[in-house]
Structure formats: C-alpha cells, structure tokens
Amino acid sequence: MEPTMEYCLAQVLQKDVGKRLQVGQELIDYFSDKQKSADLEHDQTMLDKMVDGLATSWVNSSNYKVRL
C-alpha cells in the first residue's frame, strides 16, 4: 500500500516515539517521490497541517533522535 497524505499526517501526529522513528524514512521517501506525493501541491491545508505537525511534534520533541 502506497502512503497517502492522510496516512503521513497521522504518522507525524502520533505520540509513540518508537513509531515516529520508524516512519521518518518512509516520510522522506514519500516527499522525495513526485508521483507518490502529487497530492501535496493540490492540498495546501493538508500540507500546512503536515508542516505544523512536524514543527510542533518532532522539532520540539524532548527525544533528540526524533528531533534529528
């Protein structure tokens, strides 16, 4: 199953640190592939939620591995 924007957002917003660490590479792959992430350009609201979720949940995380 190919990840969707909704799936990626749900992964970003989850609280489990272990799962966050596992999904990091999956998110990079999703954002790097233009065919998989074609919906990014069309759904600005979802993209805003994704960036906000990354900034608040990951960058400000107390776990240094998640911040990286």
Side-chain angles (χ1 to χ4, degrees):
M1 180 176 104
E2 293 293 324
T4 63
M5 189 66 166
E6 291 82 14
Y7 168 80
C8 291
L9 181 60
Q11 297 306 308
V12 166
L13 297 177
Q14 66 183 320
K15 301 292 182 194
D16 185 345
V17 173
K19 289 185 180 179
R20 286 185 191 177
L21 292 173
Q22 291 175 349
V23 78
Q25 187 60 47
E26 190 175 340
L27 291 173
I28 291 169
D29 293 342
Y30 175 75
F31 294 137
S32 298
D33 188 332
K34 294 273 187 196
Q35 291 179 342
K36 289 181 185 176
S37 61
D39 52 343
L40 286 175
E41 295 178 16
H42 304 293
D43 194 349
Q44 187 65 41
T45 303
M46 188 68 74
L47 182 58
D48 290 344
K49 288 179 183 179
M50 176 73 68
V51 171
D52 186 51
L54 286 169
T56 58
S57 297
W58 289 36
V59 175
N60 293 327
S61 174
S62 62
N63 187 306
Y64 76 96
K65 289 182 181 179
V66 172
R67 283 192 304 241
L68 290 175

